[in-house]
Amino acid sequence: MSGTLVVGQSGGSTATLSATLAGVLEAAQETAGIDRVYGMCNGIEGLLEERFIDLSAASDRLRAALRRTPAAALGSCRYALAEADAERALDVLRAHDVRYFIYIGGNGSALTVQSVNRWSRESGYDLQAIAVPKTIDNDLWGTDHTPGYGSVARFAALAAMDGGADSWALRSHDQVKILETFGRNTGWVTAATALAKTEESDPPHLIYVPERPLTKERFLQDVQDVFDRYGYAFVAVCEGLRRPDGSLLFASELAVDQDAFGRGQLGGVSSMLSELVATELGLKSRTDKPGTMQRACISLASSVDLAESFQVGGVAVAAAAAGETGKMVTLERAPGPAYRVATGLIDVDEVAGKERPLPDAFLNRAGNFVTPAYLDYVRPLLGEPLPNYVRFRAATVAKRVEESHPSA
Amino acid sequence: MSGTLVVGQSGGSTATLSATLAGVLEAAQETAGIDRVYGMCNGIEGLLEERFIDLSAASDRLRAALRRTPAAALGSCRYALAEADAERALDVLRAHDVRYFIYIGGNGSALTVQSVNRWSRESGYDLQAIAVPKTIDNDLWGTDHTPGYGSVARFAALAAMDGGADSWALRSHDQVKILETFGRNTGWVTAATALAKTEESDPPHLIYVPERPLTKERFLQDVQDVFDRYGYAFVAVCEGLRRPDGSLLFASELAVDQDAFGRGQLGGVSSMLSELVATELGLKSRTDKPGTMQRACISLASSVDLAESFQVGGVAVAAAAAGETGKMVTLERAPGPAYRVATGLIDVDEVAGKERPLPDAFLNRAGNFVTPAYLDYVRPLLGEPLPNYVRFRAATVAKRVEESHPSA
């Protein structure tokens, strides 16, 4: 079976999803039966609008540059396919003799692969459709972790280390700092801030995730307790924090901020909690909200994540060439202390539209920090070890003024 | 003249002010007449409370680690000396036979050196007091730039490159993004986001700084114009933006957020402007606010800034040992295309309490972007060249559906 391979990037950015594109291009060029390689501009939207980039002759230099490029070099989209799109999609696939469909994305993208695969089967059009996982959210079932997560975890850890060093140095002045990370429904990104802590007194002191509902009273009590113990408090919060009734602590109510699923845009829970700290506890409080840089900062990317992200692109092409379809590439961690990963395939039907929260074993009983089990899980994904910072914690020189100046 | 050298770190964090401490330690250990080296815990507060760390025997390993440590490893403070502190300060200096006083900080710290120097002169106590510049704000007079600025400029440029790549990839979905940087009174940090732009259509599209007052109408018109031209807009704003009447666009009104000078805490102007974009223009808008990570991210520090920050520490010790006092170390750029810098000294009286805004030549006439003259000034301070990202801008494959499927 020979024909054209199309590859697209979909959903939110990661630091490494263009490294996956590079992996797809390299494998496609080495695979017999793949006559042409087209990139979809802005994912499935570009396919429906017949907007393609011919990448058949991608050079070594271009592929190397893609491995140093964050976010979607082809452009991305947040488009949910409807049945009404079937005919148009099949027309475009036929017109360009597309026989291999590789889609790099998250839960939503698995749905896209599911639809395209079903439509081609039903119309008797021979197509191999493979999903390649990509999301900072690390919330896909069937894979140990998702490409993109190791890098956002490293960024979150460094944001807590650097913001934490700043808080420690100025603890007499800045009393409370709240770091807000991404995560609409799961706390995987926020959890990684725990890697910044070496001693019990180090930031972060508290970590709140959507998997554990939070009340205003509980939050204020925790912050006051930490402040009383250490003289300052550094708190990491997930943008998608929930109340006990399941509602979001903060979501924009502006109509224009509703997404395709009618969900209000997040980002702002840290400001809300910071004002609460100032008004209710009378403590000076400030917020850090790195925003989209956290998911696109390839300068701080994990070397392990970069390598795995490139690898899964090649695995997807090999699977398609081998006749697989309707599958997503997975990463399977071998048991044992040493970090070893193998790739596999899972039926997209088992993945599409599902979300994997932080397991209970990764969250402490109090619901305000992670467990050692989580740290063991995440550490190998970060690549190079995190840096160590110098912190002079206590004076070592004896006071002399009183004895030398009894008057004083 | 022999005795103890004390060194302190004061004010806000930079990525490289502990590299300056390393430079001080190395020079102090090599300088005859310096018997002991004490670090002040939390700057001048630590001196008044007689909280010192004995760094006389600092190892090569410790100094190397300090060069990889952001923020103040000794702890910092925001304490403004009063005349009432004079006697206590002199008692402590005498008790420890302190003859060399090195203070690493910004405008406020120059005032501290000014006071300590004057008090020792007036009381006939022999002390050499030297200020070492350190501030991300780059707002000190008498120096081409301040240690710490090159690194925050690099961070701001990367925040705009990465957040910008994210915006470009999802431009069909996220319509407007507003990146907020530090800068209470000057726009030096915000200006550096301009380095992210390679083509006219690239982010950032608009840059607003306190040196140019901003009206709501003007801001909305600019954003609409950019959106109409490129289909999305990426805007960089300084936290200290001003209205034409000089008042801040945003400052916390909470009493607890007032600083020692009665100034409300900043951080939030991006949220205010983002809501304006949503409500007035009906465009989906989000904000990135890296916060304190931007001034403490040594992982993204400028190699030039790290080297210069270490260097000025040694220059300060040499100046003190040579009998200089009441001076601040300066960086003087040699004229010509090649970047060459020499160090010098300036009287702290000429620096203390003054602020240097962005010069008119660095801002465009419209007041919404920087000029090439600014880019020429800042580029050498960033160290290694910024990365280049791949961006496939336009489809190259001809549409075929219509001719192949006349029915479609």
Side-chain angles (χ1 to χ4, degrees), chain A residues 11-13 21 36 38 41-42 45 49-55 62 65-66 68-78 87-88 90-92 94-97 155 158-159 161-175 177 182 239 254 256-260 265-266 271 274-275 278-279 282-293 295-300 387-402 404-405 407-408, chain B residues 11-13 21 36 38 41-42 45 49-55 62 65-66 68-78 87-88 90-92 94-97 155 158-159 161-175 177 182 234 239 254 256-260 265-266 271 274-275 278-279 282-293 295-300 387-402 404-405 407-408:
Chain A
S13 300
L21 175 61
R36 284 168 304 280
Y38 290 173
C41 299
N42 299 101
E45 284 180 357
E49 296 159 13
E50 221 176 347
R51 291 188 291 115
F52 295 116
I53 310 277
D54 190 339
L55 297 170
L62 174 62
L66 283 170
R68 296 187 301 268
T69 293
L74 284 168
S76 185
C77 69
R78 292 191 184 278
E87 189 188 347
R88 173 71 186 178
L90 288 165
D91 284 346
V92 174
R94 286 196 187 91
H96 296 276
D97 189 31
F155 186 101
L158 288 167
M161 286 186 71
D162 294 337
D166 178 277
S167 284
W168 178 83
L170 283 163
R171 60 197 180 282
S172 61
H173 184 267
D174 290 345
Q175 302 173 308
K177 188 183 294 173
F182 280 143
E239 63 177 357
L254 298 170
V256 68
D257 282 340
Q258 306 295 314
D259 68 12
Q265 182 171 295
L266 303 185
S271 305
S274 181
E275 185 159 348
T279 52
L283 295 177
K284 189 172 174 58
S285 179
R286 66 189 303 163
T287 64
D288 290 353
K289 182 182 160 250
T292 55
M293 182 193 198
R295 66 184 182 190
C297 188
I298 195 157
S299 306
L300 298 179
N388 287 311
Y389 296 158
V390 180
R391 192 168 293 173
F392 297 108
R393 294 170 189 271
T396 61
V397 175
K399 293 175 181 283
R400 299 217 196 111
V401 168
E402 280 56 34
S404 61
H405 296 264
S407 66
Chain B
S13 300
L21 175 61
R36 284 166 303 280
Y38 290 174
C41 300
N42 299 99
E45 284 181 358
E49 297 159 11
E50 219 177 346
R51 291 189 292 115
F52 294 115
I53 309 277
D54 190 338
L55 298 170
L62 174 62
L66 283 170
R68 296 188 301 268
T69 293
L74 285 168
S76 185
C77 70
R78 293 191 186 278
E87 191 189 342
R88 174 71 186 178
L90 288 164
D91 285 345
V92 174
R94 286 197 186 89
H96 296 275
D97 189 29
F155 187 99
L158 287 167
M161 285 185 72
D162 295 336
D166 178 276
S167 284
W168 178 82
L170 283 163
R171 60 198 181 283
S172 62
H173 185 267
D174 290 346
Q175 301 173 310
K177 189 182 293 173
F182 280 142
F234 187 99
E239 62 176 359
L254 298 169
V256 69
D257 283 340
Q258 305 296 313
D259 66 13
Q265 182 170 298
L266 304 185
S271 305
S274 181
E275 185 159 349
T279 53
L283 295 177
K284 188 172 176 57
S285 179
R286 66 189 304 163
T287 64
D288 290 355
K289 183 184 157 243
T292 55
M293 182 192 196
R295 67 185 182 189
C297 187
I298 194 156
S299 306
L300 297 179
N388 288 311
Y389 296 158
V390 179
R391 193 168 292 172
F392 297 107
R393 295 171 187 270
T396 61
V397 175
K399 295 175 180 282
R400 299 215 197 112
V401 168
E402 279 58 30
S404 59
H405 294 265
S407 65

Side-chain angles (χ1 to χ4, degrees), chain B residues 294-368:
Chain B
Q294 80 193 274
R295 67 185 182 189
C297 187
I298 194 156
S299 306
L300 297 179
S302 154
S303 55
V304 167
D305 186 28
L306 278 165
E308 290 177 349
S309 296
F310 179 82
Q311 180 188 11
V312 292
V315 170
V317 172
E324 296 282 0
T325 188
K327 301 283 171 60
M328 182 186 85
V329 178
T330 62
L331 293 169
E332 297 161 7
R333 189 188 308 218
Y339 179 70
R340 298 198 317 287
V341 159
T343 61
L345 293 173
I346 186 172
D347 208 38
V348 284
D349 301 340
E350 293 180 45
V351 179
K354 296 185 198 162
E355 264 180 341
R356 177 183 66 161
L358 279 164
D360 291 344
F362 286 178
L363 297 170
N364 69 355
R365 180 167 287 105
N368 59 14

